[in-house]
Amino acid sequence: MDLDLRGIHVPLITPFSGDGATVDLDALERLAHRVADNGAAGLVALGTTAEAASLDAGERAAIVTTCRRVARERGVVLSVGVGTNDTRKAAAELAALGQVGSGAREAALVTVPYFTRPSEDGVVAHFAALAAASPVPLIVYHVPYRTSRPLSAATLRRLAALPGVAGIKHAVGVLDGDTMDLLSDPPEGFAVLAGDDVLLGPLLALGAAGGILASAHVATRAFVDVVDAWQSGDVPRARALGSGLVRLSARLFAEPNPAVVKGVLRARGEIRSAAVRLPLLAAREGAVTAAVEALGDVESQRTALAAV
């Protein structure tokens, strides 16, 4: 269970061919290497950003194989998105991760059961069952505006106490009382990772360990720098960098994720196609242009700060 989750983890997109019919594994591998080059502590495969719900079993397996190879080569953590609102099915998905091999640094990013809306006791029982059967540590994906299942700070602490649970992707959308409670006295050995891109700075200021952030696709080094600045106590630098990243993240999420992220990566020549699969639609040109401009501002700001 000694899995260091500090830093920035990038939930990788799934690059598709021009019409979206096939997965471009070569582009995925290049992207995974690039974010590792720029200081990412981890890669996330098959997250929401990967459009995992639209992938078939063969595509999912190929993506995990590709990301696992890069993660091992680069010595970064690999987290794999797993989970449904059925505990037995989620356990079966976890079992499929069993062949992780010696020395692997892997985890499973497991969503709180969605739509069913179990009680908080039911959520704890769900994760207790999964953690007991899982071959890898679990990261709880807590995103109540998608799952419709809010959790109290007391329940979050119960989840943190489960053997086999290593951390949480905390994406509640606001700095609420339960977030403040959790970070005021974080459970030992339990990494709180920001899951809302625009709230990274405030959560780091409160003691979060890092973040799992789609925006870090396009400004990986800047997000890594923000984490380093907050954790080293360089508050002025952290705030200066963070302000630009908030504006960038807002523009990257101006349309349903990952459409704008893919548009920016395509504009920068990192992927061949910005295709997404239905029910998502490709981002409007204006949204991509605005995000590219915000990214340019972030890069200019980093250059200016480096010269000080």
Side-chain angles (χ1 to χ4, degrees), residues 155-191:
T155 296
L156 297 176
R157 292 183 184 281
R158 290 171 66 194
L159 291 172
L162 293 174
V165 173
I168 185 170
K169 179 179 179 180
H170 195 63
V172 301
V174 295
L175 292 177
D176 61 7
D178 290 308
T179 301
M180 302 297 288
D181 185 328
L182 180 66
L183 285 169
S184 68
D185 183 21
E188 185 176 354
F190 182 74

Side-chain angles (χ1 to χ4, degrees), residues 88-153:
R88 291 184 303 172
K89 288 180 181 177
E93 289 186 14
L94 285 167
L97 300 178
Q99 302 301 316
V100 296
S102 175
R105 299 170 62 209
E106 297 193 11
L109 177 63
V110 183
T111 185
V112 170
Y114 49 84
F115 199 80
T116 307
R117 300 185 74 246
S119 67
E120 293 189 65
D121 286 345
V123 172
V124 174
H126 172 79
F127 278 99
L130 296 183
S134 177
V136 297
L138 306 185
I139 301 170
V140 175
Y141 186 5
H142 179 35
V143 55
Y145 48 85
R146 291 183 185 269
T147 64
S148 296
R149 177 64 275 174
L151 299 174
S152 66

Side-chain angles (χ1 to χ4, degrees), residues 5-291:
L5 293 173
R6 290 175 297 176
I8 292 295
H9 302 252
V10 181
L12 293 166
I13 63 158
T14 300
F16 295 124
S17 60
D19 60 359
T22 59
V23 175
D24 187 344
L25 292 173
D26 290 339
L28 176 64
E29 185 163 358
R30 289 194 302 271
L31 182 60
H33 276 292
R34 197 267 293 159
V35 300
D37 286 341
N38 283 276
L43 309 173
V44 182
L46 304 183
T48 306
T49 303
E51 301 172 72
S54 72
L55 301 171
D56 65 33
E59 290 170 331
R60 292 166 67 90
I63 288 166
V64 171
T65 297
T66 299
C67 292
R68 178 172 283 160
R69 180 171 63 250
V70 175
R72 288 178 174 175
E73 289 176 3
R74 306 309 300 274
V76 299
V77 176
L78 173 65
S79 302
V80 180
V82 170
T84 74
N85 55 348
D86 172 38
T87 305
R88 291 184 303 172
K89 288 180 181 177
E93 289 186 14
L94 285 167
L97 300 178
Q99 302 301 316
V100 296
S102 175
R105 299 170 62 209
E106 297 193 11
L109 177 63
V110 183
T111 185
V112 170
Y114 49 84
F115 199 80
T116 307
R117 300 185 74 246
S119 67
E120 293 189 65
D121 286 345
V123 172
V124 174
H126 172 79
F127 278 99
L130 296 183
S134 177
V136 297
L138 306 185
I139 301 170
V140 175
Y141 186 5
H142 179 35
V143 55
Y145 48 85
R146 291 183 185 269
T147 64
S148 296
R149 177 64 275 174
L151 299 174
S152 66
T155 296
L156 297 176
R157 292 183 184 281
R158 290 171 66 194
L159 291 172
L162 293 174
V165 173
I168 185 170
K169 179 179 179 180
H170 195 63
V172 301
V174 295
L175 292 177
D176 61 7
D178 290 308
T179 301
M180 302 297 288
D181 185 328
L182 180 66
L183 285 169
S184 68
D185 183 21
E188 185 176 354
F190 182 74
V192 178
L193 299 169
D196 293 298
D197 299 41
V198 298
L199 292 180
L200 173 65
L203 288 177
L204 288 171
L206 291 168
I212 300 176
L213 308 170
S215 300
H217 275 92
V218 302
T220 313
R221 177 56 66 182
F223 278 98
V224 171
D225 287 350
V226 165
V227 173
D228 291 345
W230 276 114
Q231 293 183 345
S232 68
D234 190 347
V235 175
R237 178 177 174 80
R239 286 178 171 168
L241 284 169
S243 62
L245 291 176
V246 167
R247 290 190 291 273
L248 171 62
S249 294
R251 292 185 179 184
L252 289 170
F253 280 82
E255 298 190 13
N257 185 51
V260 181
V261 171
K262 282 189 165 184
V264 173
L265 292 172
R266 172 65 182 84
R268 291 168 66 88
E270 294 199 53
I271 57 176
R272 299 183 184 93
S273 169
V276 292
R277 287 179 174 172
L278 287 171
L280 295 176
L281 297 175
R284 293 172 295 111
E285 182 178 350
V288 174
T289 299

